[in-house]
Structures are given as C-alpha cells and as structure tokens.
Amino acid sequence: MIWLLLAVAQASAAQWRFVTEDFPPFTYPADTSANTYAGVAAGGPLVEVVQAVCARLQQDCAITLYPWRRALRLAEQGQADGIFTLVSSPQRQQIFHITRMLVTSRYSVFARDDNTFVFSQPTDMAGRQVGVYGPSGTSYILSERLKAVPDVHLHVTADNRRLLRMLASGRFGKKGVAVLNQDVAWHLIEDEHLVGLREAGEMGPITYGIGLSRSTISEAQFKAFEQALDEAIADGTVPAILRRHQLEPAY
C-alpha cells in the first residue's frame, strides 16, 4: 500500500498526456463542430474512463485527439504518456504497459450492395482487394489472418471515414470489400449518410484497452493506474459509462 501511495504521489507531480483518435463510438472530438480532428480535445466513453481513473489518482491528465498514425508515433516516441484504444500485440507490449481489456467489439467484412459476397472464413478473401484501416490493430490482425490466403491484396487507408467512402464509390473494384470494427462502421455509415453498403459477415471479436508508455511511465505508476481502474470497475463507475454508451465490456 505504501509503495502504491508513493507511486501516486510521484505520478501527480506532472501532467500525463494521453492521445487517441477519431474512432466513434469509442472516442471522438469533444467538439463535433471542429473543422479538423487533429489536436483537439477528445470525448467519448473511453475518454470518460481515463478521466475517472485520473481523478481517483488525483492525477492531472490531458487527452487530445489526433489521426491514429500521429497519435501512435507520439506515444511510441514517448512524447505522449498514454494511448487508446489499443489492441494488445507482442510488439506493443514491448513499448507500452497495457491495461486489462475494457471493451469488446467485432471485426466485420463490409461490401457494396451490388456485391453478393458472403464471408465465412479467411480463404473467402482470395483474389479480392481488401481495404483496411491502418497501420492499426485492425490491419495487424487482418494481415495475420490472411497470411496463408493466396492472391489477396490489402489496401491500407489511414482513416475509417475515407475507407468507407472508397468502398461505397467502388474504389476497391466489383469484388472489393473492407474490414472494419463493426461498431465504428455502422456509426460512420449513419454519420456520413453512406448508402449502398452492407455487412457481409463477421470476422471475429476484438478487445481494446489503454496503453501507457514504458519510456515515461514507471512500473509503479502503471500499477497505481491499474489499481484505480480495477476499483472504478468494481464500484460500478466504468460499467455505468459503458452501459450508457451501449458498449460491451471485455472484463
């Protein structure tokens, strides 16, 4: 207990800077009327979770939204102390302390209405151009699952909104598809007023957590953060946030 209290005291000495992305319904700009999504304050359920944990630690935390590539670069280089939403992978575990997974969603395959494709297994992707958001956890997991599939062409796009627009406009060809987080895709299809798109099948579940930089956050500080997060789950704070936003918990 004394060790954790000392960690909290040490953590409170300086502001922690978290970065995230435009990834609705999980994270999005706090001011939705902003002309740009780069460098603005972030909102959303996972932002509320981080804010609740920081409040328990009496830790000053700033949470800023950037395009994912820039957010990841800032966090990997230690210019940001934390990042979310984060998919756990061996490479990322070397760079970040990663919390327990907080929310569960699913990867789904989307196609145009004039494409009769139905997805049931990775080999169904053979001979197709597949759009995916990345570099990201989505592109990492998709590339792993399609390693043994012949003649599949991945088109990596740095923005989910652009990815869906490209799919809707036929940029990936008549047989082309896109792989996205299911919750994000349906949110953006409605938000962008996109028509002519459908879900062609689920690829599998995915979970997201919070990463803290190993270069700026000590093991003791991370343990204190983890304990505060566990307490916020146990007393109903985190479940209430996820329930209000209709998200499925992963814990």
Side-chain angles (χ1 to χ4, degrees):
M1 180 62 71
I2 293 172
W3 176 68
L4 286 173
L5 288 173
L6 287 172
V8 171
Q10 181 184 4
S12 300
Q15 183 186 74
W16 285 2
R17 183 186 178 198
F18 286 85
V19 291
T20 186
E21 61 177 327
D22 178 31
F23 198 59
F26 304 100
T27 54
Y28 41 77
D31 179 6
T32 54
S33 66
N35 293 326
T36 176
Y37 294 149
V40 300
L46 288 189
V47 172
E48 294 176 24
V49 169
V50 173
Q51 289 171 334
V53 173
C54 289
R56 285 174 181 266
L57 293 174
Q58 298 183 349
Q59 170 65 48
D60 180 22
C61 294
I63 307 173
T64 309
L65 185 144
Y66 291 98
W68 178 248
R69 288 184 182 181
R70 184 175 177 190
L72 185 60
R73 184 170 64 251
L74 288 169
E76 287 177 338
Q77 294 176 352
Q79 297 178 52
D81 302 295
I83 185 170
F84 57 95
T85 53
L86 201 67
V87 174
S88 183
S89 69
Q91 179 184 7
R92 289 188 176 165
Q93 288 169 0
Q94 293 177 3
I95 303 170
F96 302 109
H97 308 282
I98 300 178
T99 67
R100 66 160 71 188
M101 296 293 100
L102 294 173
V103 291
T104 294
S105 186
R106 285 153 190 83
Y107 287 140
S108 285
V109 180
F110 285 80
R112 288 165 50 102
D113 284 345
D114 57 6
N115 182 351
T116 59
F117 174 69
V118 176
F119 174 83
S120 60
Q121 57 190 354
T123 53
D124 295 338
M125 297 290 208
R128 296 181 184 273
Q129 186 166 6
V130 182
V132 63
Y133 168 55
S136 66
T138 309
S139 60
Y140 167 77
I141 290 176
L142 180 63
S143 62
E144 288 294 304
R145 294 184 181 178
L146 297 183
K147 271 184 177 178
V149 180
D151 194 30
V152 60
H153 306 283
L154 290 186
H155 182 101
V156 179
T157 304
D159 182 274
N160 274 310
R161 295 176 188 271
R162 187 181 304 120
L163 175 63
L164 284 170
R165 292 191 203 112
M166 291 173 68
L167 177 65
S169 67
R171 288 281 298 278
F172 302 134
K174 187 175 180 180
K175 296 173 61 178
V177 296
V179 175
L180 295 89
N181 175 289
Q182 184 184 70
D183 291 313
V184 173
W186 283 120
H187 182 99
L188 291 178
I189 287 171
E190 181 178 353
D191 191 54
E192 297 281 325
H193 307 291
L194 297 173
V195 295
L197 297 180
R198 65 180 181 85
E199 191 169 346
E202 287 189 8
M203 182 164 279
I206 182 64
T207 56
Y208 300 105
I210 302 164
L212 280 76
S213 171
R214 291 186 181 273
S215 64
T216 65
I217 301 298
S218 69
E219 187 71 30
Q221 289 172 323
F222 175 66
K223 292 293 185 184
F225 187 92
E226 264 197 321
Q227 179 169 316
L229 176 60
D230 288 345
E231 290 171 355
I233 291 172
D235 71 8
T237 299
V238 171
I241 292 171
L242 300 186
R243 191 162 53 247
R244 178 158 40 83
H245 291 274
Q246 300 181 325
L247 294 180
E248 181 182 347
Y251 43 84

